[in-house]
Amino acid sequence: MMRLYSGRRLEQLAERIGEVEPQMLREALDTLGCTFNPEYAPIVERFLEHEDPVIRSTAREASENCRAGKGL
């Protein structure tokens, strides 16, 4: 998924993550986490209490990566 999103498209993914199909949500969160962009931390953190434990775990890891703030 990361190859499909770069620059403005990553921003679009972040803005529209609530519209991502459930089966793609884990990968979308992982993609945002892999950017190490602190601006995405609040977005992925919305999923820290998701009903699916896999989504919660992925959101936690993505949040940690984003908060590390190293950038691409």
Side-chain angles (χ1 to χ4, degrees):
M1 182 175 270
M2 186 70 170
R3 286 179 278 159
L4 298 175
Y5 289 93
S6 62
R8 178 70 187 131
R9 289 191 174 159
L10 274 171
E11 292 173 22
Q12 290 173 341
L13 175 62
E15 291 169 3
R16 301 180 75 183
I17 198 162
E19 301 170 27
V20 172
E21 295 179 27
Q23 63 270 24
M24 297 296 293
L25 183 55
R26 187 196 60 75
E27 193 167 351
L29 291 168
D30 188 50
T31 297
L32 292 177
C34 286
T35 67
F36 291 89
N37 184 339
E39 292 180 15
Y40 296 147
I43 295 166
V44 300
E45 288 169 355
R46 293 183 353 214
F47 298 91
L48 290 174
E49 306 220 8
H50 194 274
E51 61 191 31
D52 183 335
V54 174
I55 297 298
R56 288 194 307 266
S57 175
T58 303
R60 186 171 28 261
E61 184 176 335
S63 173
E64 290 170 4
N65 288 347
C66 289
R67 294 212 175 269
K70 298 174 184 169
L72 286 174

